[in-house]
Amino acid sequence: MPLLEPKPEALRPEAVRTPSVDRVPDRQAPGTPEPLRGDLIALLGPGKVLWKVSDLVKYASDASPYRFVPQVVVVPEDIDDISAVLSYAHGRGREVVFRAAGTSLNGQAQGEDILVDVRHHWTGIEVLDDGAQARIGPGTTVVRANAALARHGRLLGPDPASAIACTIGGVVANNASGMTAGTTRNSYRTVSSLTFVLPSGTVVDTADPAADADLARAEPRLCEGLLALKAEIEADAALTARIRAKYEIKNTNGYRLDAFLDGTTPVQILRGLMVGSEGTFGFISEVVFDTLPLDRRISTALLFFPSLTAAAAAVPRFNEAGAIAVELMDGNTLRASVSVQGVPADWAELPKETAALLVEFRAPDEHGQEAYERAAAAAVEGLDLVAPVPSVTNGFTRDAKVISGYWKARKAFVTAVGGSRPSGTTLITEDFAVPPSRLAEACEALLSLQADHGFDAAVAGHAAHGNLHFLLAFDAAKPSDVDRYAAFMDDFCRLTVERFDGSLKAEHATGRNIAPFLELEWGPTATELMWRTKQIIDPDGVLAPRIVLDRDPKAHLRGLKTIPEVEEIADPCIECGFCEPTCPSHDLTTSPRQRIVLRREMMRQPGGSPVETQLLDAYGYDAVDTCAGDSTCKLACPVGIDTGAMMKDFRHRRHSPREERIAALTAKNFKAVEAAARLAVAAADRIGDRLGDGPLETITALARKAVRPDLVPEWLPEIPGAAARKLPRTSRAGASAVYYPACVNRIFGGPEGHRGPSLPQAVVAVSARAGKPVWIPEDVAGTCCATIWHSKGYDEGNAVMANRIVEAAWGWTAGGKLPLVVDASSCTLGIAHEVVPYLTDDNRELHRELTIVDSLVWAADELLPELTVLRKTGSAVLHPTCSMQHLDDVQQLRTVAEACAEEVVIPDDAGCCAFAGDRGMLHKELTASATAKEAAEVNGREYDAYLSANRMCEIGMDRATGHSYHSVLMELERATRPGAVVR
């Protein structure tokens, strides 16, 4: 064991705990039992089988109120792996559930036996016919697919609110629709073809002209059974009419029986049945969508009404005017959304009875937009609108930023309201539809029913389509609360079906919580047809049992998860998974959601239990060490949960007092440390030149093994040589700004083989060239943005350096009279925001007087207007860093790059590189995993320049891509330099 290896006990929860009824039992502490573990490892290989109890726990939860712990998790790479798992399950009488993003709200992504993760190796999009179609892997998020299609002026029809995280496989398997899809733009209507694997292992590509002939040879009984059901349905006129009527409004409850009416062959019928089948008929390995036009002329309004019923009554006006979206939000939803960044704070003061409609029109051109705006104005005329708080305008706008804010509030419905629920309660999300003409009546009935059962639910929905969502919170650990929920569900389902002839699931699919009520909605004949369809396609019941069809009338009450309280920063988490695609470690170890899920399981356990011990043993590396600490999870989370901050706190908990003292001493003597680091880098560079990088890699590897991998960096060949010992000479007299070269740019030099000025020289030169000279203080050595200590959880050292840099900056800038320009985005973020909690009261006052400017903003806003671009490179690819995301200056990166290059590309898969200062040298596997998709996209073609604005991130991208990245400010200096220039 390394000398300074931290003890897992440091992370043991300190709170007094009462063991939960749904805790993982002690017998599961060893993880996957034999022979299941050994069989699957032999079948697939050890890298594709996750068997530790920590693996099982982190996959046991999704965005739903349910929690089922699988026996094993497998991560297949291709269809052969899928077929092997299905064959094994058939032969051993086991069950299989497929899971992609885990954003489903009804437990569809949970299994009690073999759980198959189909997100990791199943991404990718191929744009076809100039965007008219797209071939997409099931693990690809909707946002990622639409990013590729947007360049062609196209988009997908389904647009669920969880588009940032949900994947195509789940969207199709649940027939998820969203804000604008309705009944005409959903997956059932816009999927052109599917490739899927049946439970038997047979692979079907519905686009293949020979698909029916091949299927008839491989599965004759299945083909005969489907055609027999089709004939039976078509022979029953009343049933046929009933099926057609059920899909006149949104409906995802049960199987798509209209597939038997719409398809003429077994393959065509299967293509329809697979949509909305929730993984119970097979695995969808590829989808070809017919795409839709991306109308870019948008007019949107958020209109406020005195009541929910008043808002609902206004919906038909906007439907008739041609609105593509009419979204309803009640007072609870509006008030809860103030937790979402950008939402007006005064919404918290809205009266509870208030409701709002988010109305949007989209047109392809100015003429169409003006016509829609006239229709919208006519629809608004005479409405009883209210303006209870100053921020309410009740007007249509074309402002993209305002519109984006409206949609952020609407899309955060589940997460924002869920985040504000009472601590320790479970969140239930219900979704139903009624004929749009009866929406107001349904709202009134729903509010009355909630009051009868003691619920104060939040309500929102796709009002244009008669589709409402509402949220209920209750304590699943209390039998009385569960009974209250059960009684409500009984009454709600009867109300929806018997009074409104509505759909019990409009777009979230049946799942576990509506399966017992399927027959109530569809009746015995249609329900029995669904059971027979399942028997024909999956006769052994291998796939996803109890998820769509379940004869247990109380099935929806089984597996409800308790939500024990955890650290305050993470307690609001509803496990929605929005954070996962942005997390650098989600393909390597754990995601933010999983870090919280594991923590909650520790809280369910009695102290010292075998399960808790195993979880703690794994948590150090899987959760704490491999967190990049970039906090992009906070940006993706609608309620701003910063799991990165929680991991930094855990790092602090693991430090011994001696480690904290050493870290503080390093901060106090950082001038000497900085000089020593620069000398060490220079010496290592010379050794590398003479002997190669091998000896340095060996030495650091041995030191890491002896001391601790999380303390000793590993030497990487991509580490550049040392920076010049002296910074450029500048003058304070006449300076427009103070220029602060970050310590990484004072220690590390530019990319290998770079010709031209260093970054500090480039910033000084280009600023002078623009007539806005900068001054570098002579005493910058020994100062730092404090991120070195902050990222590792060294609180005392962090406080030392945070206060030092603020005091120094205040003096340099003459008390804030001059801006402080910082040349590394992570350091800008550190000085502008991250140091604040560690400042003394006096220094917090000084900090308020400072104007801290990222060098990208300085270049884009202050320098570019005064510069003459003399030359451009051909093409440039950019790496926006996570700090740029936090600072909201990615656009400035693009602006500067566009001044320097004819073509500028930001990869669709760009994300945090996870180099995170030195974390990429502590855990190089983290950066390798985090950058894999972006690097593959970058290396798909050649570029003339590879640009960013943070030295350590540039090193990380050098390693990931094999190309040399440098600061966009160095490129700007080259583009504007008088005279001849050699690259």
Side-chain angles (χ1 to χ4, degrees):
M1 178 180 287
L3 183 63
L4 299 178
E5 187 72 11
K7 293 180 173 57
E9 288 76 15
L11 299 180
R12 192 181 299 278
E14 298 173 355
V16 177
R17 291 169 275 166
T18 301
S20 298
V21 293
D22 62 337
R23 67 186 182 276
V24 177
D26 290 351
R27 68 176 182 277
Q28 287 190 262
T32 301
E34 295 291 0
L36 180 61
R37 181 199 309 178
D39 287 350
L40 289 174
I41 288 174
L43 184 68
L44 302 171
K48 299 175 186 178
V49 180
L50 305 179
W51 58 268
K52 295 185 302 181
V53 69
S54 60
D55 296 323
L56 308 184
V57 168
K58 72 187 185 185
Y59 277 94
S61 294
D62 60 10
S64 79
Y66 298 99
R67 180 170 175 270
F68 292 97
V69 181
Q71 291 292 303
V72 68
V73 178
V74 298
V75 188
E77 292 184 358
D78 51 35
I79 284 181
D80 287 344
D81 286 344
I82 296 285
S83 295
V85 170
L86 292 175
S87 177
Y88 175 83
H90 273 287
R92 302 298 195 282
R94 308 205 72 109
E95 300 166 354
V96 174
V97 170
F98 299 112
R99 174 184 173 125
T103 56
S104 59
L105 298 166
N106 301 320
Q108 298 98 309
Q110 296 181 26
E112 300 171 76
D113 195 2
I114 301 174
L115 189 69
V116 183
D117 182 332
V118 293
R119 176 174 55 87
H120 283 76
H121 301 293
W122 299 86
T123 60
I125 174 170
E126 178 187 2
V127 178
L128 307 171
D129 193 17
D130 195 29
Q133 290 189 323
R135 188 187 313 277
I136 312 175
T140 308
T141 64
V142 173
V143 159
R144 175 64 179 84
N146 278 334
L149 287 168
R151 288 192 289 273
H152 302 269
R154 309 290 290 184
L155 82 169
L156 297 177
D159 63 337
S162 57
I164 187 176
C166 69
T167 58
I168 293 299
V171 168
V172 175
N174 291 289
N175 198 22
S177 48
M179 316 295 176
T180 64
T183 58
T184 60
R185 296 161 62 105
N186 60 21
S187 294
Y188 189 81
R189 300 300 178 192
T190 59
V191 164
S192 174
S193 67
L194 297 172
T195 301
F196 51 84
V197 186
L198 291 168
S200 61
T202 299
V203 179
V204 179
D205 177 359
T206 65
D208 185 346
D212 271 299
D214 292 343
L215 185 63
R217 283 191 295 272
E219 306 269 359
R221 188 170 298 177
L222 182 148
C223 293
E224 292 166 5
L226 292 177
L227 290 175
L229 284 182
K230 173 180 172 62
E232 183 178 337
I233 292 170
E234 290 180 333
D236 188 332
L239 178 61
T240 298
R242 179 62 178 158
I243 291 170
R244 290 300 190 193
K246 289 295 293 176
Y247 294 110
E248 289 178 0
I249 62 173
K250 293 174 70 171
N251 192 333
T252 58
N253 193 18
Y255 296 130
R256 289 288 309 212
L257 292 180
D258 55 345
F260 288 103
L261 304 176
D262 297 331
T264 58
T265 70
V267 166
Q268 290 174 0
I269 293 169
L270 279 173
R271 172 239 167 263
L273 285 171
M274 290 297 295
V275 177
S277 63
E278 304 174 53
T280 62
F281 288 160
F283 168 61
I284 299 171
S285 63
E286 188 176 84
V287 185
V288 176
F289 271 98
D290 292 325
T291 66
L292 300 169
L294 175 58
D295 292 333
R296 300 180 188 271
R297 305 304 296 256
I298 301 174
S299 301
T300 308
L302 190 62
L303 307 174
F304 286 75
F305 294 81
S307 68
L308 188 66
T309 51
V315 171
R317 290 188 180 211
F318 297 106
N319 285 345
E320 292 166 7
I324 193 168
V326 185
E327 295 293 302
L328 179 68
M329 292 180 279
D330 77 343
N332 284 345
T333 302
L334 293 165
R335 291 197 307 277
S337 65
V338 296
S339 62
V340 178
Q341 187 175 6
V343 171
D346 62 5
W347 283 16
E349 307 304 319
L350 287 168
K352 180 180 176 181
E353 297 76 18
T354 305
L357 290 179
L358 174 55
V359 183
E360 184 159 289
F361 295 85
R362 299 178 192 169
D365 52 36
E366 176 72 19
H367 176 74
Q369 186 173 29
E370 290 176 351
Y372 274 139
E373 287 175 345
R374 288 192 296 272
V380 169
E381 190 174 343
L383 288 178
D384 181 22
L385 300 179
V386 296
V389 294
S391 67
V392 172
T393 64
N394 285 327
F396 278 85
T397 180
R398 297 184 178 188
D399 188 306
K401 190 171 184 179
V402 173
I403 293 170
S404 175
Y406 290 161
W407 280 109
K408 279 184 72 175
R410 168 60 190 93
K411 291 181 178 181
F413 165 62
V414 173
T415 46
V417 175
S420 64
R421 77 197 186 283
S423 183
T425 58
T426 298
L427 187 71
I428 298 281
T429 306
E430 291 301 341
D431 153 54
F432 72 108
V434 300
S437 62
R438 301 187 67 185
L439 182 66
E441 182 187 353
C443 287
E444 188 173 3
L446 177 62
L447 293 174
S448 176
L449 187 66
Q450 290 171 354
D452 289 346
H453 289 273
F455 286 110
D456 184 19
V459 179
H462 316 308
H465 311 293
N467 179 193
L468 290 177
H469 306 310
F470 61 93
L471 304 178
L472 307 174
F474 67 95
D475 190 342
K478 294 181 178 178
S480 60
D481 260 22
V482 174
D483 290 344
R484 182 163 60 102
Y485 165 64
F488 173 85
M489 284 299 296
D490 288 343
D491 289 349
F492 160 70
C493 290
R494 284 197 299 271
L495 172 75
T496 302
V497 171
E498 295 170 2
R499 179 169 169 182
F500 295 100
D501 193 20
S503 307
L504 291 175
K505 281 296 173 187
E507 61 177 1
H508 293 167
T510 314
R512 296 180 182 274
N513 64 331
I514 292 297
F517 303 99
L518 182 65
E519 186 170 332
L520 173 66
E521 176 178 339
W522 277 96
T525 302
T527 303
E528 196 57 33
L529 283 169
M530 294 180 190
W531 279 96
R532 289 166 61 192
T533 303
K534 171 69 170 172
Q535 177 64 28
I536 290 168
I537 297 173
D538 183 19
D540 295 328
V542 167
L543 291 182
R546 307 192 71 169
I547 285 179
V548 177
L549 302 174
D550 198 325
R551 299 194 191 276
D552 179 0
K554 294 187 176 181
H556 59 305
L557 307 179
R558 191 176 72 95
L560 290 169
K561 66 184 173 189
T562 61
I563 305 291
E565 293 184 40
V566 291
E567 283 70 18
E568 184 178 358
I569 193 172
D571 199 52
C573 177
I574 63 164
E575 303 173 9
C576 67
F578 283 24
C579 56
E580 292 193 336
T582 69
C583 176
S585 63
H586 79 279
D587 279 337
L588 178 68
T589 50
T590 54
S591 68
R593 168 169 63 177
Q594 291 172 334
R595 289 175 168 96
I596 296 170
V597 163
L598 289 165
R599 196 67 181 165
R600 283 178 171 159
E601 181 56 37
M602 293 180 201
M603 296 301 297
R604 291 187 184 98
Q605 294 291 324
S609 76
V611 170
E612 184 200 48
T613 299
Q614 291 298 319
L615 295 180
L616 285 170
D617 284 346
Y619 202 76
Y621 175 77
D622 287 353
V624 182
D625 292 346
T626 52
C627 173
D630 65 320
S631 295
T632 51
C633 50
K634 178 182 178 180
L635 299 178
C637 176
V639 292
I641 294 172
D642 189 348
T643 313
M646 186 168 79
M647 294 303 108
K648 291 170 190 172
D649 180 62
F650 286 165
R651 288 170 189 166
H652 173 66
R653 293 190 201 181
R654 297 193 306 180
H655 296 154
S656 67
R658 180 170 175 269
E659 287 179 274
E660 284 285 342
R661 287 195 299 271
I662 292 171
L665 189 65
T666 302
K668 292 172 184 175
N669 297 279
F670 190 64
K671 186 173 183 178
V673 171
E674 178 185 333
R678 188 167 51 248
L679 288 172
V681 170
D685 191 43
R686 287 193 292 272
I687 292 171
D689 288 343
R690 292 185 179 184
L691 303 177
D693 292 303
L696 292 168
E697 293 175 11
T698 300
I699 291 168
T700 55
L702 289 172
R704 286 162 56 80
K705 190 172 182 180
V707 181
R708 177 177 154 197
D710 208 48
L711 284 179
V712 180
E714 181 174 354
W715 181 262
L716 303 177
E718 294 77 15
I719 295 175
R725 189 170 60 87
K726 292 186 177 181
L727 292 164
R729 293 175 62 89
T730 56
S731 173
R732 185 168 191 168
S736 297
V738 176
Y739 168 34
Y740 181 68
C743 67
V744 293
N745 294 320
R746 306 194 305 262
I747 295 172
F748 295 103
E752 185 177 353
H754 171 73
R755 295 184 178 184
S758 65
L759 176 58
Q761 290 171 334
V763 173
V764 170
V766 77
S767 297
R769 201 172 292 155
K772 298 195 175 184
V774 293
W775 170 60
I776 303 176
E778 295 179 358
D779 57 344
V780 295
T783 63
C784 172
C785 66
T787 300
I788 294 171
W789 295 269
H790 177 64
S791 66
K792 292 179 170 59
Y794 289 113
D795 285 2
E796 188 178 343
N798 192 4
V800 168
M801 189 56 71
N803 285 281
R804 180 185 298 172
I805 185 60
V806 168
E807 291 168 3
W810 193 83
W812 296 333
T813 62
K817 290 183 174 64
L818 292 176
L820 183 75
V821 176
V822 186
D823 66 3
S825 56
S826 61
C827 302
T828 309
L829 180 67
I831 299 173
H833 301 287
E834 292 177 344
V835 300
V836 175
Y838 300 90
L839 298 176
T840 64
D841 291 343
D842 288 345
N843 284 341
R844 198 170 283 123
E845 290 298 320
L846 299 185
H847 186 272
R848 290 192 185 100
E849 297 179 20
L850 297 177
T851 301
I852 299 150
V853 180
D854 191 56
S855 58
L856 291 173
V857 176
W858 175 249
D861 296 353
E862 301 295 332
L863 305 186
L864 262 183
E866 310 300 329
L867 292 169
T868 301
V869 174
L870 302 174
R871 64 192 64 80
K872 286 189 174 187
T873 195
S875 61
V877 64
L878 309 184
H879 174 67
T881 69
C882 51
S883 298
M884 295 175 198
Q885 300 282 352
H886 285 285
L887 293 166
D888 196 23
D889 61 9
V890 174
Q891 183 54 50
Q892 281 87 347
L893 172 68
R894 181 186 281 277
T895 297
V896 177
E898 287 175 343
C900 305
E902 299 292 345
E903 178 195 12
V904 173
V905 174
I906 295 180
D908 291 335
D909 284 315
C912 175
C913 68
F915 210 80
D918 65 352
R919 194 140 298 267
M921 294 185 282
L922 298 172
H923 299 287
K924 62 184 181 181
E925 70 278 12
L926 176 60
T927 290
S929 178
T931 57
K933 291 186 179 71
E934 181 178 357
E937 190 176 349
V938 168
N939 288 332
R941 56 166 286 193
E942 288 293 321
Y943 295 92
D944 297 309
Y946 298 80
L947 306 175
S948 190
N950 192 295
R951 192 71 195 100
M952 302 313 289
C953 298
E954 290 158 15
I955 295 170
M957 292 306 297
D958 291 353
R959 181 169 179 80
T961 66
H963 295 286
S964 183
Y965 278 72
H966 61 275
S967 172
V968 71
L969 275 86
M970 296 166 74
E971 194 67 23
L972 179 64
E973 189 284 325
R974 174 188 175 276
T976 59
R977 189 191 314 162
V981 173
V982 178
R983 180 176 284 280

